[in-house]
Amino acid sequence: MERVKKLEINGRIVHYGVGAVIKKDGKYLLIDRAEEPYGFACITGHLRRGESPEDALAREVKEEVNLEVLSYKLMFERMINNRECKSGKALHYCYIFEACVKSNGKIEPNDEVKSADWYFEKDIKNLKLEPLWKFFFKKIGVI
């Protein structure tokens, strides 16, 4: 993919973001966010200026849980209106990837993460999900 540029739609800035759906042994890697928007989610973050979605994916996974992305596949991309983030409400263009990580890697959450662990689909249904990830999990058939 090519690197994204800052874009405005009707005078509103679009934030670009990535999400990493990481699954291993029938479980999904989820974080419990220490910052807004709160709730359980897959690893997610904003692209930096001039960064490709793939580079942001690898960086965010490394930053948030200290794991190395070995491979990935784009599941879908979508514009989300009025998504709350650290910068306030904004348009967000999201790239959601299915990613594989180094299997012997130890999960080491950073300060943006209260906790990180592996969850079966049946357990995800009972978690307080971050609203956007509740939407994404419905879209991909997890809940």
Side-chain angles (χ1 to χ4, degrees), residues 6-70:
K6 200 172 206 181
L7 177 69
E8 288 188 25
I9 297 177
N10 297 328
R12 296 181 64 200
I13 293 182
V14 177
H15 296 232
Y16 290 89
V18 294
V21 177
I22 301 169
K23 189 175 180 183
K24 181 176 83 170
D25 301 326
K27 295 180 179 178
Y28 291 87
L29 177 60
L30 299 181
I31 60 170
D32 186 8
R33 293 178 178 278
E35 300 177 351
E36 288 189 43
Y38 297 111
F40 285 85
C42 288
I43 295 163
T44 311
H46 287 103
L47 275 71
R48 294 178 178 162
R49 181 170 285 168
E51 186 176 44
S52 72
E54 297 85 356
D55 289 342
L57 171 71
R59 177 183 51 77
E60 287 292 343
V61 171
K62 184 70 174 168
E63 284 179 3
E64 292 192 9
V65 292
N66 198 32
L67 293 175
E68 179 185 349
V69 173
L70 298 176

Side-chain angles (χ1 to χ4, degrees), residues 53-109:
E54 297 85 356
D55 289 342
L57 171 71
R59 177 183 51 77
E60 287 292 343
V61 171
K62 184 70 174 168
E63 284 179 3
E64 292 192 9
V65 292
N66 198 32
L67 293 175
E68 179 185 349
V69 173
L70 298 176
S71 63
Y72 54 83
K73 178 177 88 174
L74 182 65
M75 296 175 77
F76 62 92
E77 54 189 277
R78 181 182 184 111
M79 180 72 75
I80 304 293
N81 192 18
N82 289 324
R83 160 113 163 82
E84 190 73 39
C85 70
K86 294 178 198 177
S87 305
K89 284 192 177 181
L91 295 171
H92 282 77
Y93 194 88
C94 302
Y95 297 89
I96 305 301
F97 291 92
E98 180 178 10
C100 293
V101 295
K102 193 171 184 177
S103 62
N104 62 351
K106 181 182 174 194
I107 300 171
E108 298 174 9

Side-chain angles (χ1 to χ4, degrees), residues 129-141:
L129 296 172
E130 186 267 324
L132 187 61
W133 278 98
K134 187 172 187 176
F135 170 80
F136 287 152
F137 279 140
K138 284 181 181 177
K139 181 169 179 54
I140 62 175

